[in-house]
Amino acid sequence: MLRLLKSPDLDEKFDLPREIRRSAKRLERLDETLGLDLSERSPERALVVCSERTSRKWAPRWLKQLGFDVDLATTGARARFFIEAKAPTLVIVEAAMRDTDGGRVYSALLKSLDDEGPSVVVVGAGRGDVVEATAQGAVDVSRRPIDWRLVSRRAAVIAASRRAGEAVDRARKIVGRALDELRSTRELLERKADVDSLTGLPNRRVFTSVLQRAFSAPRPAGSEIAVLYLDIDNFGSINECAGRDCGDEILRAMSRRLTRCFESAELMSVRTTGLVSASLARIGGDEFALMISNVSSTEHLKPLFERFTSELSQPYEVCGSKYYVSTSFGGAMYPSHGQTAEEVLHHAELAMLEAKEMGGGVQCYYDPSLNEKANQRVSLGRDLRQALERDELALHYQPLIDRVSGKVTAVEALLRWRHPERGLLLPDDFLSVAESEALMVPIGRWVLREACRQLREWMDAGVEPVRMLVNVAHRQLTHGDLPREVEESLSASGLDPRLLELELSERGFLGHGLNVLAALRKLSRLGVSLAIDDFGTGESAIVYLKQLPIDALKIDRSYVSGGGDGEGNATIGSAMVAMAHGLGLKVVAEGVETPERKGVVEAGGCDELQGFLFSSAVAGDQVPRLLNDLNTGTHSVVGREAK
């Protein structure tokens, strides 16, 4: 940029004002900051309007030496032509020059130019010309006589100042655009920070904020604000089996259904705060929250729960399949159950967890006792993490009896926890905690190794070989390397793979993914048997029986024990046995507790029987004697222990 201001042969005789030098340096720094390179601009174009021969000779010479491209005009008409055709940035005109009409050329130029036109410099002016030219807008006026060397230097300063102004204007525009973009980006980020990207619903932060405002607003006497916490039961299994894309589609579909329900007439009749946009939010992975104002009692919410349950239980057709999900609702009321948004929302979540422990698909309201239960759950999870290290886990074993021979053919390994303070805990007491704490894989690995080790120990002690049944959690198939762990356990114990049978819950096959099917096929190739446990409690395993490498079905105890509709269940149980045998599968009847039920399942054709009629689960050191007594017919059951 300073190239036009530097001329070695003139710098010694003429020094630019200090402020102009400073402005030039500041402009250079501005160029660097904004990424502008004004030094690469094309040369400045100057138009000299003069009629005097000496001026026509020296003006172009000195101006060109300072880097100008120069045009020369001797009449006002010619000057206007050059201005329109070549758009000079600087016009230098002699004050003494007269046009044919007698008017001053620079006066005509100044009147015809706009703000974006060239800068006009008047040279050779008299006293009156200085006042007139300055008043009419000339940027510079010099008196007679004309020193074109000095005029050229002043022209260079004017050109540099003009460029500096243009650079500042451009910088101002660039900064303005950048600020506009920053404002737009900030507004977009603020909107995104308030909205769940998957469903488009408000997120937890917004919902909490709106709750607090609603709590602070006036409300009718005797009314409360209901906060509902919704969670999809077993949604993790859907993600694991069908994939996260399908899970996301279900979440989007559920948000649309909730929105429709929330805009229904029934809900509008109990909502008075006007905070409709924040009354429904997605606050977690598969968790939604709802706020309903002006509720006099929880009884008023029953029709709403029924509508929610009916709408959400309809099948979701995504990824080419139908999926059925159930939801658990937890509720808390303001001000009865808390004074802040976070407190009430937390209590609603505790109620939801209680609903899930009740089996899911139900609603539950907050009770102060849930706090203690939650604390116990946290404590139990902490203790369970240490149980493996402290050797507190144990296996008990329940026998399976052959229907024809009456002999023991297998034992099922059942997990127990010798808690140092709570005593012997059964799986129902802690497996849900193990799942929430992501401990199913390490616990399952320990069960598998211990069961194989124990069977080898019995065999080394002279016990006749029997099959060992080991329960496998679905998470072991999806988040572990079960085939490798089975192979390592068999190798370490030296067991024949045919002596190991793995039991998987029917619910674990819901929409089984390719990774689950591949793992099952690897296990089958190892030579171990595979069985579906609690058959009849799920919704989809029948469809996959031909596809899965299954060897046995264990009919759920509800079809054996006579609970509920005894005759109907027995009929269904017989149909299951016939279907399994038609597929070449072995059938085990669980829950055989009375001689009458034993007769029914034997008549139905079950291959093996298991239940308290034969024995409860016993510790490993009692198994050799138990097997001997059962095989010789001398065993009698004393007490019962849940499976």
Side-chain angles (χ1 to χ4, degrees), residues 42 77-78 95 211-212 323 415 419 431 486 494 589 616:
S42 59
R78 189 68 176 165
L211 275 186
Q212 199 60 55
Y323 294 90
L415 184 61
H419 194 280
L431 279 190
V486 167
S616 59

Side-chain angles (χ1 to χ4, degrees), residues 372-443:
E372 179 60 28
K373 192 169 184 178
N375 291 335
Q376 292 179 357
R377 187 180 182 87
V378 171
S379 175
L380 198 64
R382 184 174 58 249
D383 293 345
L384 187 55
R385 288 188 175 277
Q386 300 173 349
L388 282 168
E389 301 173 4
R390 297 175 177 176
D391 196 26
E392 294 174 358
L393 298 182
L395 293 180
H396 285 195
Y397 303 88
Q398 187 177 32
L400 281 71
I401 308 299
D402 182 74
R403 172 178 61 88
V404 176
S405 67
K407 304 295 184 182
V408 177
T409 55
V411 293
E412 180 178 2
L414 301 172
L415 184 61
R416 301 293 185 261
W417 180 8
R418 298 186 296 261
H419 194 280
E421 298 175 359
R422 306 183 188 186
L424 191 67
L425 300 181
L426 302 181
D428 287 346
D429 298 324
F430 62 87
L431 279 190
S432 61
V433 176
E435 291 175 353
S436 64
E437 296 288 334
L439 294 174
M440 291 304 299
V441 171
I443 289 178

Side-chain angles (χ1 to χ4, degrees), residues 126-205:
R127 184 184 299 274
D129 295 322
V130 173
V131 176
E132 181 183 359
T134 303
Q136 292 180 348
V139 298
D140 190 31
V141 180
S142 64
R143 302 283 297 272
R144 301 188 188 97
I146 302 175
D147 183 344
W148 281 105
R149 181 179 57 181
L150 179 60
V151 169
S152 300
R153 291 295 295 182
R154 294 171 73 166
V157 172
I158 292 169
S161 298
R162 180 186 177 102
R163 288 198 307 277
E166 292 173 350
V168 170
D169 289 340
R170 285 195 295 274
R172 206 177 272 124
K173 291 178 181 178
I174 291 173
V175 172
R177 286 196 300 269
L179 289 175
D180 290 341
E181 291 178 1
L182 285 174
R183 279 191 289 269
S184 299
T185 302
R186 182 180 65 184
E187 292 172 0
L188 179 61
L189 291 175
E190 287 176 350
R191 287 195 298 272
K192 286 186 175 181
D194 293 343
V195 177
D196 173 57
S197 60
L198 180 65
T199 64
L201 294 175
N203 59 20
R204 185 186 185 107
R205 186 180 69 85

Side-chain angles (χ1 to χ4, degrees), residues 231-469:
D231 182 86
I232 304 176
D233 300 324
N234 298 320
F235 185 71
S237 297
I238 296 177
N239 267 341
E240 292 169 0
C241 296
R244 291 193 175 276
D245 289 343
C246 291
D248 289 346
E249 285 298 322
I250 291 176
L251 290 174
R252 279 190 282 265
M254 177 169 284
S255 70
R256 292 192 292 269
R257 294 186 187 185
L258 284 170
T259 301
R260 287 198 301 269
C261 289
F262 219 56
E263 293 173 348
S264 65
E266 295 96 318
L267 280 170
M268 293 300 293
S269 66
V270 297
R271 189 167 53 218
T272 61
T273 63
L275 300 171
V276 178
S277 63
S279 296
L280 170 64
R282 181 186 178 214
I283 57 175
D286 60 334
E287 299 169 345
F288 297 83
L290 306 89
M291 181 189 74
I292 304 175
S293 302
N294 196 26
V295 177
S296 57
S297 72
T298 57
E299 291 296 318
H300 288 176
L301 296 176
K302 284 186 177 180
L304 306 180
F305 276 124
E306 292 174 359
R307 182 183 178 96
F308 285 138
T309 303
S310 174
E311 183 73 19
L312 299 180
S313 63
Q314 298 301 314
Y316 295 83
E317 297 189 19
V318 298
C319 303
S321 300
K322 283 186 178 181
Y323 294 90
Y324 293 84
V325 301
S326 62
T327 53
S328 297
F329 282 89
M333 310 293 285
Y334 171 83
S336 296
H337 299 149
Q339 299 301 310
T340 67
E342 285 292 352
E343 186 179 13
V344 176
L345 190 59
H346 174 61
H347 289 166
E349 183 180 10
L350 291 181
M352 180 274 295
L353 293 174
E354 180 69 10
K356 292 179 78 71
E357 287 197 10
M358 294 168 61
V362 297
Q363 62 269 5
C364 181
Y365 289 99
Y366 172 75
D367 182 271
S369 63
L370 294 180
N371 283 330
E372 179 60 28
K373 192 169 184 178
N375 291 335
Q376 292 179 357
R377 187 180 182 87
V378 171
S379 175
L380 198 64
R382 184 174 58 249
D383 293 345
L384 187 55
R385 288 188 175 277
Q386 300 173 349
L388 282 168
E389 301 173 4
R390 297 175 177 176
D391 196 26
E392 294 174 358
L393 298 182
L395 293 180
H396 285 195
Y397 303 88
Q398 187 177 32
L400 281 71
I401 308 299
D402 182 74
R403 172 178 61 88
V404 176
S405 67
K407 304 295 184 182
V408 177
T409 55
V411 293
E412 180 178 2
L414 301 172
L415 184 61
R416 301 293 185 261
W417 180 8
R418 298 186 296 261
H419 194 280
E421 298 175 359
R422 306 183 188 186
L424 191 67
L425 300 181
L426 302 181
D428 287 346
D429 298 324
F430 62 87
L431 279 190
S432 61
V433 176
E435 291 175 353
S436 64
E437 296 288 334
L439 294 174
M440 291 304 299
V441 171
I443 289 178
R445 184 185 305 117
W446 178 87
V447 170
L448 181 62
R449 292 177 180 175
E450 175 61 18
C452 291
R453 185 204 65 78
Q454 181 64 84
L455 180 56
R456 167 52 60 189
E457 181 179 303
W458 293 334
M459 293 169 60
D460 291 344
V463 176
E464 287 293 323
V466 293
R467 297 191 334 274
M468 175 65 73
L469 278 58

Side-chain angles (χ1 to χ4, degrees), residues 17-34:
R18 183 172 55 184
E19 290 302 321
I20 292 181
R21 291 183 184 276
R22 291 179 177 176
S23 297
K25 290 187 177 296
R26 285 197 294 268
L27 186 58
E28 281 187 327
R29 290 195 294 269
L30 181 62
D31 295 347
E32 295 174 359
T33 302
L34 298 176

Side-chain angles (χ1 to χ4, degrees), residues 87-106:
T89 59
L90 184 69
V91 176
I92 304 174
V93 58
E94 282 186 328
M97 181 182 173
R98 304 288 180 176
D99 205 355
T100 56
D101 59 0
R104 294 185 182 277
V105 174
Y106 66 83

Side-chain angles (χ1 to χ4, degrees), residues 69-88:
D69 284 344
V70 183
D71 294 309
L72 190 63
T74 58
T75 66
R78 189 68 176 165
R80 282 190 288 273
F81 167 77
F82 277 118
I83 290 174
E84 294 175 0
K86 297 191 177 182

